C-alpha cells in the first residue's frame, strides 16, 4: 500500500534527478493520467524500464504496480480539504466568511490548550523526566508530523546535554527496538493513536521488550494504549480540526521543564 509520507521523505532526501525521484515526481504530477496508463507507458514517460518500476514498488513496500496505481487513483480523487481535517461545510464557511472561520479555529485552539492545562499531572511529568534523565538510552518513535515533533525534542534535549535517539525510518525504528534493554526508555508519540495500528508489530515488540514504554498522545480511544507501561493523554477529548496543537504545546512544556530541573 502506498505511503505518501515515504514518497515525500524520499524527495526531501534525494536529488530530483535520481531515478526514483523522477518516478515519484511524474506520478504525483500526473495522478489523473496514471489510471489509464500501463506500466510500460509510465516507464517510457519516466525514461526507465518496467523492471525498474517494479523494483520501485518493492523499495517502497508496495506489493505490485497495480496496487500502486490503485492508491494513486484514490489519491487523485481525494478532495483537497480532506487532508486538512476539514468538512465540506467548513470549506464553504472559510471561503465566504474567513474572519469568522479564523475566530472559530482560534477558539478551538484556545480551548484545547486550556484542556491541556487542566489535564496534565505535573508530578507525573516530573517522574517521567527523572526516568529520562537517569536512563542509559531513550528512544523516540513517531510518524509523519509526530516524527517531526520527536526530532524537535531530540534537539532540545541535546541542548540540555541529554542525548536521545529518534528512529526516522522503519528500519532504524526496528533496529532500535530490537536492542532495547532494562536501562532503556522508549517513548511513542502519536496524536490520535493511529501509529499504534499502522505499526502494530513494532508496538508489540515494544510491549514485549524489557524497556519502560511510554505513550504520549492526545485523547484517544485506541485500545492498544494498554500495551504501554504508561499512557499519557494530554487532553480529555479529541480536537481533530486543529491537529497537533495540544501535543505540540505539551511537548514544548515537557522539554522546558526538563531544562529547568536538570540543566
Amino acid at each position: 500500500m502506498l505511503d505518501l509520507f515515504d514518497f515525500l521523505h524520499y524527495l526531501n532526501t534525494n536529488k530530483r534527478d535520481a531515478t526514483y525521484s523522477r518516478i515519484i515526481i511524474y506520478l504525483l504530477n500526473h495522478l489523473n493520467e496514471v489510471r489509464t496508463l500501463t506500466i510500460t507507458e509510465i516507464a517510457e514517460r519516466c525514461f526507465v524500464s518496467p523492471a525498474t518500476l517494479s523494483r520501485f514498488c518493492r523499495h517502497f513496500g508496495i506489493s505490485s504496480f497495480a496496487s500502486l496505481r490503485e492508491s494513486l487513483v484514490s489519491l487523485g480523487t481525494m478532495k483537497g480539504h480532506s487532508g486538512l481535517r476539514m468538512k465540506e461545510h467548513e470549506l464553504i464557511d472559510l471561503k465566504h466568511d474567513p474572519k469568522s472561520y479564523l475566530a472559530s479555529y482560534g477558539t478551538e485552539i484556545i480551548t484545547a490548550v486550556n484542556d491541556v492545562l487542566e489535564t496534565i499531572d505535573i508530578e507525573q511529568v516530573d517522574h517521567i523526566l527523572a526516568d529520562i534523565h537517569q536512563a542509559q538510552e531513550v528512544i523516540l518513535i513517531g510518524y509523519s508530523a509526530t516524527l517531526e515533533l520527536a526530532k524537535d525534542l531530540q534537539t532540545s534535549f541535546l541542548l540540555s546535554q541529554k542525548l536521545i535517539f529518534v528512529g526516522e525510518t522503519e528500519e532504524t525504528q526496528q533496529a532500535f527496538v530490537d536492542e532495547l534493554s532494562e536501562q532503556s526508555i522508549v517513548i511513542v508519540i502519536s496524536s490520535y493513536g493511529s501509529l499504534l495500528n499502522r505499526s502494530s508489530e513494532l508496538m508489540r515488540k515494544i510491549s514485549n521488550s524489557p524497556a519502560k514504554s511510554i505513550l504520549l498522545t492526545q485523547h484517544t480511544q485506541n485500545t492498544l494504549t494498554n500495551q504501554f507501561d504508561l499512557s499519557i493523554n494530554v487532553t480529555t477529548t479529541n480536537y481533530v480540526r486543529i491537529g497537533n496543537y495540544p501535543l505540540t504545546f505539551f511537548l514544548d512544556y515537557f522539554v522546558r521543564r526538563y531544562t529547568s530541573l536538570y540543566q
Side-chain angles (χ1 to χ4, degrees):
M1 182 177 178
L2 168 63
D3 189 325
L4 188 59
F5 176 74
D6 289 343
F7 275 10
L8 296 178
H9 177 72
Y10 191 91
L11 288 179
N12 293 340
T13 54
N14 291 272
K15 293 181 178 180
R16 283 183 292 178
D17 60 355
T19 299
Y20 285 0
S21 292
R22 286 191 286 107
I23 294 173
I24 293 171
I25 291 170
Y26 176 83
L27 293 175
L28 296 183
N29 280 332
H30 299 84
L31 291 173
N32 292 329
E33 299 174 24
V34 167
R35 71 178 68 201
T36 62
L37 298 176
T38 66
I39 186 172
T40 301
E41 290 170 330
I42 292 178
E44 290 175 352
R45 285 161 172 76
C46 296
F47 304 101
V48 299
S49 67
T52 298
L53 270 183
S54 295
R55 287 193 294 271
F56 170 86
C57 292
R58 291 194 295 272
H59 176 84
F60 290 101
I62 303 168
S63 59
S64 66
F65 175 77
S67 178
L68 170 62
R69 180 164 52 195
E70 182 179 341
S71 296
L72 290 171
V73 169
S74 297
L75 180 62
T77 57
M78 182 182 297
K79 295 183 178 180
H81 64 276
S82 300
L84 299 173
R85 304 173 302 278
M86 294 178 68
K87 297 179 180 179
E88 190 77 34
H89 72 85
E90 291 182 82
L91 191 68
I92 296 172
D93 291 344
L94 177 55
K95 181 177 181 179
H96 296 292
D97 193 352
K99 187 173 182 178
S100 293
Y101 181 88
L102 179 61
S104 171
Y105 190 68
T107 297
E108 187 161 346
I109 292 172
I110 293 169
T111 300
V113 169
N114 284 330
D115 191 352
V116 176
L117 296 178
E118 295 174 2
T119 302
I120 292 304
D121 183 337
I122 293 179
E123 184 176 348
Q124 185 182 51
V125 168
D126 286 353
H127 282 308
I128 296 172
L129 293 176
D131 288 343
I132 289 174
H133 183 66
Q134 296 167 9
Q136 292 184 10
E137 176 187 60
V138 180
I139 305 296
L140 299 182
I141 303 290
Y143 174 73
S144 189
T146 57
L147 176 58
E148 296 307 311
L149 291 178
K151 289 159 66 176
D152 287 343
L153 269 185
Q154 181 185 41
T155 301
S156 297
F157 270 103
L158 184 60
L159 293 176
S160 293
Q161 300 183 23
K162 180 64 180 182
L163 177 61
I164 60 180
F165 299 89
V166 176
E168 284 203 42
T169 66
E170 291 185 10
E171 291 76 13
T172 53
Q173 289 176 357
Q174 290 283 355
F176 284 151
V177 170
D178 287 341
E179 296 172 0
L180 290 173
S181 70
E182 292 182 353
Q183 286 73 45
S184 304
I185 293 177
V186 56
I187 300 175
V188 175
I189 306 174
S190 180
S191 297
Y192 304 108
S194 57
L195 176 59
L196 310 188
N197 296 103
R198 181 187 182 277
S199 304
S200 57
E201 179 60 23
L202 183 68
M203 297 303 114
R204 186 190 63 77
K205 285 186 176 182
I206 290 174
S207 179
N208 292 335
S209 76
K212 180 173 183 176
S213 60
I214 300 170
L215 172 68
L216 300 180
T217 183
Q218 295 171 185
H219 177 76
T220 176
Q221 296 177 339
N222 193 311
T223 58
L224 296 179
T225 58
N226 59 14
Q227 291 183 329
F228 298 87
D229 296 321
L230 183 61
S231 179
I232 305 296
N233 284 19
V234 304
T235 57
T236 58
T237 188
N238 278 329
Y239 299 91
V240 177
R241 184 166 66 150
I242 63 171
N244 292 323
Y245 272 100
L247 196 55
T248 301
F249 173 66
F250 167 73
L251 292 177
D252 191 28
Y253 166 78
F254 189 72
V255 73
R256 287 170 183 244
R257 179 61 174 162
Y258 180 86
T259 301
S260 74
L261 293 172
Y262 299 109
Q263 179 167 281

